[in-house]
Amino acid sequence: MTKDAEMERVGLRRELTMLGFISTICCTVIGGGINVLTCMIQVKAPGVGPYVPLAFLIGAVPSLVAGIVAGALSAAVPRAGGHYTYVSRLFDPFLAFFSSWSRFVGEIGAFVAIAIGDVALLAAMCKFWGAPAAGKWLNAHTLEVATLIIIFTWLVNVLGIRIYEAVVDVMFFILLTGFFIVVGYGFTHSPAEYLKAIGGTAALKSLISQAGGLPKDVGTLSAIFSAAATLVFAYVGFETGTQAAGEVKNPEKTVFRGMLIALGIITAYYLLYSAAVYHAVPWEYIYAKAALADKAGSNFTVPEAMAPIMPSALAGYVAFVAAIALLSDLPPMFLSTSRMTFAWAYDGMFPKALAKVHKRFGTPHWALTVLMVVSVILTWAVGEFLAAVDITTVALLFTYLFICMTGLVWKFVRPDIYEKAPLGDKTKKAVNWLGAAGAVLSLLFLGEIAISDPTSFGWWVALMGPGPFIFYYAYNRTVKKLGPEKARERLMTIPPE
């Protein structure tokens, strides 16, 4: 390690356990994707029909591949900052910053989407629990409540990693209770029973008529792939745990194994959950309700879809779990993004104040505060769930591209780290091949979104604009201070703990 005066210990504490690491990843990923998009994808990708579970499976592939690669690379470079840190040290500093800037854009978009989407779920909970007036008030004050949710998330993260872990562990347990209820009811009820509960075929036809009819072509490959591209958003956050690798106990063992366990849990959860919903609820009903909700400027959710075949109190609890599931995305995502900005600041890309750690709580409080302020501003600027989803999906696919490219080339760029990485030879070779496959998949999904939704793709391109200028301004400043060789060495040396 270079004995540069600036390369002091960063001050983050290794207090995150294996359970906390797995809970962090699961709580980040399982949320809005399953409870809102399971239904609203019918509007975003008309024609997907009953094949939503299949679209979830296809949408999982690039995220699962990138997740395995990310877990391996983070085990080799177990420091705060996640993919920015290991891509810069194992591949190239500029590409690391540029792709992590895309992740930054995507995560901020996700904060906004999640905070807004959570209000719809809280409103549904109020309706089921006999408080429709409260639900109407929430829908009428969506942005104000979303702002309070973001502030709560900021507070949980600022108060320290132990409080953070306790909160996400409880949220993860609540997620599992809702999962078993929905899966149990979904697989033990048929569409015929559901039709009877809503008033029969005549009621369904009336609803479809109000929604303007059904899509003409259902189940086409283009519709399913279009849905899958949007559902990549459902897997946002799998790499969150690696952002906190600098705070994980025994990272050489915990990070890679924990990532594999978490990815297995998430995949099983999503497939069973969505399959249970579409097993019980006719897709035509979900499409019509989602289309009407979209016209009204709101969202149709899984708790609302399952309510006709559940007791009202239980449906209310499922809505509560769905709200917690969506809310549980935010603390880990704030954790991950703040650690990335922390790593940027450590490398001189952002102001050094963002690399400061609170003396009492051991958290990067200034980085967290900046994220909170930016998220609140964008919440009021964007104001819609699906608009934020699309930008986030593009941004994260671009990030996956460079994670996978690093998995392909790190053997050649940094053979010194490759040889010492705490992974078996077969695992390292698998990471190389998965890196190649993941890069191709990421490009395919990016191309699909660029064609099907050029507006969101254009917004992402515009938001990426400042990235190269920030890097070269900061890098040139570091070159003037340290000289070209030391500046490059700093960005290629694994940071101290």
Side-chain angles (χ1 to χ4, degrees), residues 93-152:
F94 169 71
L95 295 178
F97 182 81
F98 194 49
S99 59
S100 63
W101 178 260
S102 179
R103 179 179 175 83
F104 179 76
V105 169
E107 294 278 67
I108 294 293
F111 296 159
V112 174
I114 290 164
I116 292 172
D118 206 40
V119 179
L121 292 169
L122 289 171
M125 178 189 71
C126 291
K127 182 178 69 174
F128 294 130
W129 281 354
K136 288 181 180 179
W137 185 89
L138 285 169
N139 283 326
H141 296 84
T142 294
L143 300 184
E144 291 89 342
V145 178
T147 298
L148 292 176
I149 288 172
I150 290 171
I151 293 171
F152 165 77

Side-chain angles (χ1 to χ4, degrees), residues 41-52 214-227 283 287:
I41 193 62
Q42 296 286 351
V43 175
K44 185 64 185 173
V48 66
Y51 301 102
V52 171
L214 297 173
K216 292 182 180 179
D217 298 316
V218 176
T220 63
L221 288 177
S222 61
I224 294 171
F225 191 69
S226 178
W283 75 266
Y287 174 84

